[in-house]
């Protein structure tokens, strides 16, 4: 029995020490002692930062009414008018199609095209005097000169 009482007294004193330290910390926090730390004295003046103006935006609700299925006039944005610019056509060249031959070993077609007064042998995709051969068969060829595409029939 004596042994039990020593343990009890030891644990009781340990609990009192823990509660005492806890109470001391609480009192120290509530009533702080005078602060003897030196205060900072600076000669610099406080200069606030300049505030930048915020970028603003607005949302336009230009969508159809989900219940009525209509678009109100105030929600419809006006489309700017587009001015039509007349295309300046380049002067056309005198082009004629004389015929074609097929290479026996590769099967490529070579077309005889006369541009101006000069005859050229052209294959598909080739460009001569700014005239590009796009496609062709035994009756017609399709060429592009500048932005204009033309189909030229076989001349005899």
């Amino acid at each position: 029995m004596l042994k039990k009482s020593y343990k009890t007294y030891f644990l009781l004193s340990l609990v009192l020490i823990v509660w005492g330290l806890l109470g001391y910390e609480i009192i120290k926090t509530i009533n702080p002692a005078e602060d003897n730390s030196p205060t900072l004295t600076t000669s610099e003046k406080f200069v606030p930062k300049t505030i930048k103006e915020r970028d603003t935006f607005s949302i336009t609700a230009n969508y159809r009414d989900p219940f009525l299925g209509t678009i109100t006039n105030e929600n419809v944005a006006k489309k700017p008018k587009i001015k039509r610019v007349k295309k300046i056509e380049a002067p056309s060249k005198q082009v004629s199609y004389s015929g074609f031959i097929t290479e026996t070993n590769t099967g490529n077609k070579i077309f005889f095209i006369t541009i101006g007064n000069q005859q050229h042998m052209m294959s598909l995709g080739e460009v001569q005097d700014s005239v590009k051969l796009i496609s062709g068969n035994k009756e017609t060829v399709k060429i592009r000169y500048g932005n204009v595409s033309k189909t030229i029939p076989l001349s005899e």
Side-chain angles (χ1 to χ4, degrees):
M1 251 210 202
L2 195 55
K3 219 182 218 187
K4 265 189 168 180
S5 64
Y6 283 126
K7 286 183 181 177
T8 305
Y9 291 133
F10 175 71
L11 289 175
L12 182 62
S13 62
L14 189 62
V15 167
L16 287 176
I17 290 172
V18 169
W19 276 105
L21 290 173
L22 187 65
Y24 174 74
E25 289 295 323
I26 291 173
I27 291 172
K28 186 177 165 184
T29 307
I30 292 173
N31 297 325
E34 262 187 49
D35 190 18
N36 293 335
S37 64
T39 59
L40 296 175
T41 56
T42 60
S43 61
E44 295 180 24
K45 292 184 178 181
F46 174 71
V47 179
K49 290 185 178 179
T50 58
I51 299 174
K52 295 179 182 177
E53 188 174 325
R54 287 189 175 185
D55 187 20
T56 59
F57 62 93
S58 63
I59 298 174
T60 57
N62 56 354
Y63 49 86
R64 70 175 188 84
D65 185 359
F67 301 106
L68 299 175
T70 59
I71 298 175
T72 59
N73 287 340
E74 59 192 38
N75 291 342
V76 176
K78 293 182 179 179
K79 294 181 182 177
K81 292 183 179 179
I82 299 173
K83 294 182 180 179
R84 304 270 181 189
V85 178
K86 291 183 180 179
K87 293 182 181 178
I88 300 172
E89 293 188 21
S92 61
K93 291 189 175 187
Q94 189 70 8
V95 180
S96 63
Y97 170 47
S98 304
F100 75 98
I101 58 171
T102 305
E103 292 182 358
T104 56
N105 53 357
T106 61
N108 290 340
K109 295 180 181 177
I110 298 178
F111 297 90
F112 295 105
I113 309 257
T114 305
I115 302 171
N117 290 326
Q118 193 172 20
Q119 189 172 25
H120 299 282
M121 292 177 17
M122 298 174 66
S123 57
L124 295 178
E126 190 175 336
V127 178
Q128 291 285 337
D129 293 337
S130 69
V131 175
K132 181 177 182 179
L133 180 61
I134 298 172
S135 64
N137 57 27
K138 64 181 181 178
E139 297 171 357
T140 61
V141 290
K142 188 172 185 179
I143 61 164
R144 174 167 289 155
Y145 175 71
N147 292 332
V148 179
S149 294
K150 289 186 179 180
T151 303
I152 300 175
L154 179 65
S155 61
E156 300 197 22

